[in-house]
Amino acid sequence: MRRSAIPVLLLTLLVGCAPHEPSAGDASSAFPSAPQSTPSPSPSSPASESYTFRLPLAVYSYSDADYEVIRSAEQVLARDCMRDFGLSYRPARNPAPAEAQDRRYGLTDRASAERYGYRMPPQPETPKAKLTEDQIKVLYGNRSAPAAAVKNSELRYRGKKVPDEGCLGAAVLGFRKPYEDEAGAEVASRIATASYENSQKVPEVRAVFGKWSSCMKQKGYDYASPLEAMAAPAFVRGKMSAVEKATAEADVSCKERTRLAEVWFTAESSIQKDMIKAEAGALRRLGELHEKKLRAARKILAGA
């Protein structure tokens, strides 16, 4: 998660996955192999331990597992479209992702601090599926390199019109459209942002920031808040240093000593509950469309 005034949420709020931009001759892990079912976070999984995924608003968001199901269903639709053109398509299998890092309340993982400082753990290398020029042309349509060379022309393959956005784009956009709810997604996004900002003004949170800052001063570091420490320029750019690791370790230690993340989580949860009550209708529809989309995705996978 990038360090910013408002950390990017792990709550992926009803936004579809954009079709992967093609590079010559390959397709990347934007095309994971289809899982057989929707995995639920186990008691020890990163998602179940995450503060973000335990916030009240999380029930209106897609989990990583949900997205895998949706992406996999889109891949099945893209594969079927490719078959209509007499072409095969088999995406590369995704590697196991790196352990999730929830940075909503700053760095909280001691092992990560010790190894990577404030940096995100490296992601596994993305495998690439080799594609022929014909496969690229039909899979990506007008976004493919061969099509881009011929502007304003109708793309055809063996006499058959190729969707402008290619088989992959057509699959993603076609599957997504019936379940779009821009108004509901905007409400959820607004709550996620406002609750985060407003929670920092809660007296209990301001007090725990002060305790954390005092703890850091005892260790030789002068920061007013954990967000300030995490956004320090030296810890964002360039190579990781021993100073960064030491600061990150002290940061996590002081968070644990003051229970900063728990206090902050409790305050934001309370704010979100009130905001959710005020927007119950819009969020109810959002949740219903989530379930419908997941059911449709599972049905596609079951028939694949």
Side-chain angles (χ1 to χ4, degrees):
M1 194 173 294
R2 293 185 179 87
R3 292 176 284 279
S4 60
I6 302 173
V8 177
L9 295 180
L10 290 177
L11 303 175
T12 39
L13 298 164
L14 247 190
V15 291
C17 303
H20 172 67
E21 291 294 335
S23 57
D26 72 72
S28 80
S29 63
F31 315 127
S33 56
Q36 297 303 308
S37 61
T38 308
S40 299
S42 65
S44 60
S45 73
S48 66
E49 295 172 354
S50 160
Y51 291 106
T52 301
F53 279 107
R54 290 192 288 116
L55 283 166
L57 192 63
V59 298
Y60 302 103
S61 71
Y62 289 127
S63 68
D64 288 344
D66 293 338
Y67 261 124
E68 285 302 309
V69 171
I70 292 167
R71 282 193 292 260
S72 296
E74 292 166 351
Q75 292 305 313
V76 171
L77 296 176
R79 180 203 65 186
D80 292 347
C81 173
M82 294 285 282
R83 283 178 178 172
D84 289 342
F85 287 89
L87 295 169
S88 62
Y89 171 58
R90 185 187 181 95
R93 181 176 292 274
N94 245 4
E99 185 173 331
Q101 290 281 316
D102 184 0
R103 301 283 178 92
R104 188 165 182 83
Y105 305 131
L107 178 63
T108 56
D109 184 83
R110 183 179 289 274
S112 182
E114 292 172 351
R115 269 189 94 177
Y116 307 111
Y118 284 102
R119 317 302 168 105
M120 295 299 289
Q123 293 294 315
E125 186 176 347
T126 300
K128 294 182 178 181
K130 293 297 181 181
L131 301 175
T132 67
E133 185 173 300
D134 284 348
Q135 286 174 315
I136 293 172
K137 175 181 176 180
V138 177
L139 186 65
Y140 296 115
N142 287 331
R143 297 185 305 119
S144 69
V150 185
K151 294 182 179 180
N152 301 320
S153 64
E154 185 180 78
L155 191 62
R156 305 187 75 84
Y157 180 74
R158 293 181 179 176
K160 186 175 180 179
K161 185 181 183 306
V162 175
D164 290 342
E165 61 277 6
C167 278
L168 179 58
V172 172
L173 296 174
F175 182 63
R176 179 189 305 169
K177 191 170 182 62
Y179 310 102
E180 287 181 340
D181 182 9
E182 292 183 7
E186 190 279 329
V187 167
S189 180
R190 175 162 43 83
I191 291 174
T193 301
S195 66
Y196 182 81
E197 292 177 335
N198 293 340
S199 65
Q200 296 176 56
K201 304 170 188 175
V202 173
E204 290 82 359
V205 175
R206 293 174 67 87
V208 81
F209 275 17
K211 292 178 182 178
W212 175 90
S213 182
S214 295
C215 175
M216 290 291 281
K217 281 183 180 178
Q218 291 173 14
K219 295 176 181 291
Y221 305 99
D222 187 13
Y223 294 104
S225 80
L227 299 182
E228 181 183 326
M230 193 167 64
F235 304 157
V236 177
R237 295 183 294 272
K239 292 184 179 180
M240 180 174 52
S241 65
V243 171
E244 177 180 344
K245 281 188 177 183
T247 306
E249 290 174 37
D251 181 349
V252 173
S253 176
C254 286
K255 282 195 181 83
E256 291 173 349
R257 183 184 300 180
T258 61
R259 298 184 68 253
L260 182 146
E262 289 83 353
V263 172
W264 198 347
F265 170 78
T266 299
E268 185 173 14
S269 294
S270 178
I271 291 170
Q272 281 196 359
K273 287 176 182 177
D274 290 340
M275 297 182 76
I276 287 169
K277 285 180 183 178
E279 300 283 1
L283 292 174
R284 187 181 304 112
R285 173 173 168 74
L286 189 69
E288 290 170 352
L289 287 172
H290 272 174
E291 289 302 317
K292 287 181 180 179
K293 187 172 184 178
L294 282 169
R295 284 198 298 269
R298 293 186 188 110
K299 186 175 181 180
I300 290 170
L301 295 180

